[in-house]
Amino acid sequence: MNIILYLLNVVCASGQVTLSKVYSAKGGKAHIFDLNKAIAGIFVFLIMGLVSGMSFHIPTVFFGIGYGVFLGISMFTGFKALKHGPMALTSIIASFSLIIPFIFGITVWDESITVYGVIGIILLLCAIVLLNFKSEKGITVIWSVLVFSTMVSNGVCSLIQKYHQLYFPKAYRIEFMIWSLLCVLIVTSIMGKSELKSFKFNFNGIVSGILNGSANFIVLYLSATENASVLFPIVSVCNVVAVWLIGRIAFRERLKLIQAVGLIFGVVAVMLLSY
């Protein structure tokens, strides 16, 4: 069952990144796109909640709001990063947010670390350096700040997901997603109030919202039973490879030799971290 969920997460996560890249390449506005994503996600989870039943749980409200704030930041900076730089590198570096829950897993949540894990961390750090090699066309200071912000925000989102399921295992997951997406909707509306007059529903944004919400829900679902030091590395390596392949095939993006080495280091690193 978990294998199927991992595969579904890859399909949803890489799919929403691809749609974001397509929309941004056409000159689309980040706030309009994120509003579409939030509205679509809320609609889906409301339907799920009405079918399966919902309850008002105050701690989940606060967890959801916290998650929604950082998810909103990640969505905005991630969209901008895709607009200012290559899809593959953006997604690869953003995926290294796994290091945050991994560190918490072994230092705070008492999850064990093996020799493979130590080697994986070293390779992961090397990969980040190599993938940020500055001779790549499209790599700018603005892009670097945006992708770093996306990486940190994703890491904090992972922590909040895991903490919620540590305190309330297998419970209030739909409510968590509804509150978080409502928060994203509010934050995005405030940040992009100047663009609200031109708001219109967008197919890419709606589908991306459904995929993004599904990917996040799957991770939340798995957080109840999987160790953070295993879950997030596996999710990351699968998404890294999927997005790289899509970027290479659909957008003709290429990595220089030194960055290809970095990609290999990154893939090997997250595989070692899963042991």
Side-chain angles (χ1 to χ4, degrees), residues 85-98:
M87 173 182 167
L89 281 181
T90 298
S91 299
I92 289 167
I93 296 174
S95 294
F96 288 146
S97 60
L98 71 93

Side-chain angles (χ1 to χ4, degrees), residues 98-157:
L98 71 93
I99 197 170
I100 296 176
F102 178 82
I103 290 174
F104 265 72
I106 61 177
T107 60
V108 180
W109 300 322
D110 295 324
E111 297 176 4
S112 60
I113 182 172
T114 64
V115 174
Y116 294 112
V118 174
I119 297 174
I121 287 292
I122 295 173
L123 288 178
L124 187 60
L125 295 174
C126 292
I128 292 174
V129 174
L130 294 175
L131 286 167
N132 272 299
F133 191 69
K134 297 300 181 182
S135 65
E136 172 69 32
K137 184 178 179 181
I139 301 300
T140 63
V141 174
I142 294 176
W143 175 83
S144 298
V145 171
L146 288 169
V147 77
F148 178 76
S149 299
T150 305
M151 181 178 70
V152 173
S153 298
N154 284 343
V156 176
C157 282

Side-chain angles (χ1 to χ4, degrees), residues 5-272:
L5 290 175
Y6 278 116
L7 290 174
L8 285 174
N9 176 268
V10 172
V11 172
C12 293
S14 59
Q16 72 93 16
V17 171
T18 303
L19 290 172
S20 297
K21 180 65 177 180
V22 171
Y23 185 80
S24 64
K26 295 179 179 180
K29 297 179 179 179
H31 293 303
I32 299 298
F33 189 76
D34 287 345
L35 281 172
N36 272 273
K37 288 177 68 174
I39 292 171
I42 292 170
F43 181 74
V44 169
F45 286 109
L46 278 176
I47 292 177
M48 290 176 62
L50 290 173
V51 172
S52 62
M54 294 185 296
S55 59
F56 183 76
H57 185 245
I58 294 179
T60 294
V61 173
F62 288 106
F63 272 107
I65 290 174
Y67 181 82
V69 169
F70 285 98
L71 179 61
I73 294 173
S74 173
M75 288 168 60
F76 177 76
T77 57
F79 181 92
K80 289 291 188 180
L82 286 170
K83 194 170 185 176
H84 285 86
M87 173 182 167
L89 281 181
T90 298
S91 299
I92 289 167
I93 296 174
S95 294
F96 288 146
S97 60
L98 71 93
I99 197 170
I100 296 176
F102 178 82
I103 290 174
F104 265 72
I106 61 177
T107 60
V108 180
W109 300 322
D110 295 324
E111 297 176 4
S112 60
I113 182 172
T114 64
V115 174
Y116 294 112
V118 174
I119 297 174
I121 287 292
I122 295 173
L123 288 178
L124 187 60
L125 295 174
C126 292
I128 292 174
V129 174
L130 294 175
L131 286 167
N132 272 299
F133 191 69
K134 297 300 181 182
S135 65
E136 172 69 32
K137 184 178 179 181
I139 301 300
T140 63
V141 174
I142 294 176
W143 175 83
S144 298
V145 171
L146 288 169
V147 77
F148 178 76
S149 299
T150 305
M151 181 178 70
V152 173
S153 298
N154 284 343
V156 176
C157 282
S158 299
L159 293 182
I160 296 173
Q161 285 177 309
K162 184 62 180 180
Y163 266 117
H164 181 267
Q165 285 302 288
L166 281 174
Y167 289 124
F168 315 106
K170 300 182 181 181
Y172 309 114
R173 290 180 288 210
I174 292 176
E175 292 88 341
F176 178 93
M177 293 304 303
I178 291 174
W179 284 110
S180 64
L181 290 172
L182 279 172
C183 183
V184 170
L185 182 63
I186 293 171
V187 171
T188 303
S189 298
I190 294 174
M191 292 175 62
K193 59 182 179 180
S194 61
E195 299 176 1
L196 291 179
K197 294 180 180 178
S198 59
F199 174 82
K200 60 180 179 180
F201 288 105
N202 175 271
F203 177 79
N204 281 4
I206 291 173
V207 176
S208 182
I210 295 172
L211 294 176
N212 186 58
S214 299
N216 290 331
F217 183 76
I218 290 171
V219 172
L220 183 66
Y221 187 93
L222 290 171
S223 292
T225 56
E226 297 280 283
N227 285 340
S229 55
V230 173
L231 169 61
F232 297 102
I234 291 178
V235 167
S236 295
V237 68
C238 293
N239 288 332
V240 164
V241 174
V243 170
W244 184 81
L245 288 173
I246 293 172
R248 178 69 183 89
I249 297 171
F251 300 101
R252 309 282 178 157
E253 294 181 353
R254 294 187 179 184
L255 298 179
K256 292 185 178 298
L257 177 60
I258 192 170
Q259 291 170 327
V261 173
L263 174 62
I264 294 173
F265 276 21
V267 171
V268 175
V270 291
M271 290 178 68
L272 290 173

